[in-house]
Amino acid sequence: MTGFGLQQRQRASQIQRICQKQIQALKFLAMDSKNLTEEIYKAAEENPALVITKNRSSWDRTKTAVPTASGMAASENFQAALESKADERESLQDHLLGQLNSMRLSETEKSLCEKLIFNLDSKGFHILAPISLLDKKDKLQTPGLLEKCIETVRQLEPSGICVVNTEESLLVQARQRENAPPLALFILNGRFNFLDPPYPEKILQKIKAFIAKQKKLFADSNAEEYSTLNPTLRSVEEALGFIRTLDPLPARNFSSGEIHFIAPDVYIEKISGMAQQNQLEENTVSGSGGLWKIRLAQENIPQISLNPEFMQLAENKNQNSMEEELRKAKEFIGMLEFRQGTLLRACIEIAKIQTDFLLRGPGNLVPLRQKDIADKLSVHETTISRIANSKFIQCEWGLFDLKFFFTNAASSKNKNISKDKAMSELKKLLNSSSGKKMSDQKLSEELEKSGIKIARRTVAKYRNKLCIESSYNR
């Protein structure tokens, strides 16, 4: 009975893990590139088994994914509604100015502090070099006063703003803490690379090697300071634990007030006539009069991979905790691969069906349901619904919401004519009527002559959507 109970607990644990993976995979499917990027950075920050391989900023690197089958079963029976909500949080600038106004400062100091505050980006970092903010015509605005004003702004909440980058932010936060370990201050003061990788044993080795090198430098005035550190594995672990309590993005809880531009998630590019003579490449679609290449916009999402140093250390140490981090990292990469792969495959199938649009542009969509693409990919319809959420396709006709390519038939009598096609033909008919005020019934009859059979009331509905008034008011 004891063994049976253990098996039940293990099975329950496995089921719970699978459910969590499914939920997370489905969330990835629905995320736009901005939210997915934030999720990747968060995972890389929390899990040492993950590494970002291409630098985009001090905390922004990119990784290549290891394909797995994780998340393939995650497309079934989980409906999620994502709601957009305006960012009503207080801006960082308003928050800082409110504190600044309560301080007793000279007009020159206040002016410089305000310039510094409005020079901060959404992370709380300088946009322009602070020295460029000085008014050369004002003799009171000196570099010394600027440094004083920078320190004044740094004393405001949140701690760690008005700095150059993340490293300086962490150092400022640490210096403002009363319990900062000396070794933590030593590392953060220009030796942030000691934390890569963030393993105490390796950090200790780097610190000892650095101190030994400094002792050999006869003219080094700080040699005594280094010799008093006496780093141990315990003190390194204490310093590392303290650094982890600091916030690398102290301004994250404030509204950025930024304008977010839409970026494509997928590109559909027409291939030249010379290239069409070659054999079809991977992820290409052919249609009457055209050949197109479909590719993901990889530049908008960081690539991620397993940390080779962590893998080597895990193999040597053989610790359960490290194996757990490695398992989570593999699952995370697998879910990303599932998301990207499903998005690409869905867009390839869409392109195969909507070749008339790709060739001739708007007004040439054919009827297409999300269920049709789901059947071709052998996934649930809700998976395609999530994939279509907040994703954009760039083609030669412009940037389009992925949902744009899904359109119903114009009517039950015209299953091969899409609503998009019918509305396009209706607009052409109204524009070419040469001043004739055709009624909805007459428009219905004219459309039928071109093979589009829709009722008068459907014509009226489409006309209203085109913002065109009735013949009586035209």
Side-chain angles (χ1 to χ4, degrees), residues 181-217:
L183 197 59
L185 294 171
F186 171 80
I187 293 171
L188 294 175
N189 192 14
R191 304 170 190 91
F192 199 72
N193 60 310
F194 285 7
L195 300 177
D196 187 15
Y199 310 134
E201 296 88 351
K202 292 201 171 186
I203 295 173
L204 181 60
Q205 290 176 6
K206 291 179 180 180
I207 294 174
K208 286 184 174 180
F210 177 85
I211 293 175
K213 183 178 179 181
Q214 295 303 317
K215 286 181 178 180
K216 292 180 180 179
L217 298 177

Side-chain angles (χ1 to χ4, degrees), residues 76-87:
E76 300 293 331
N77 306 320
F78 184 87
Q79 188 63 40
L82 296 179
E83 299 177 355
S84 60
K85 183 179 179 182
D87 191 351

Side-chain angles (χ1 to χ4, degrees), residues 314-331:
E315 185 177 348
N316 295 336
K317 292 286 186 179
N318 195 25
Q319 295 180 5
N320 292 334
S321 60
M322 300 184 76
E323 291 179 359
E324 179 67 11
E325 294 291 350
L326 196 57
R327 180 190 65 77
K328 289 180 180 178
K330 290 179 179 179
E331 288 182 355

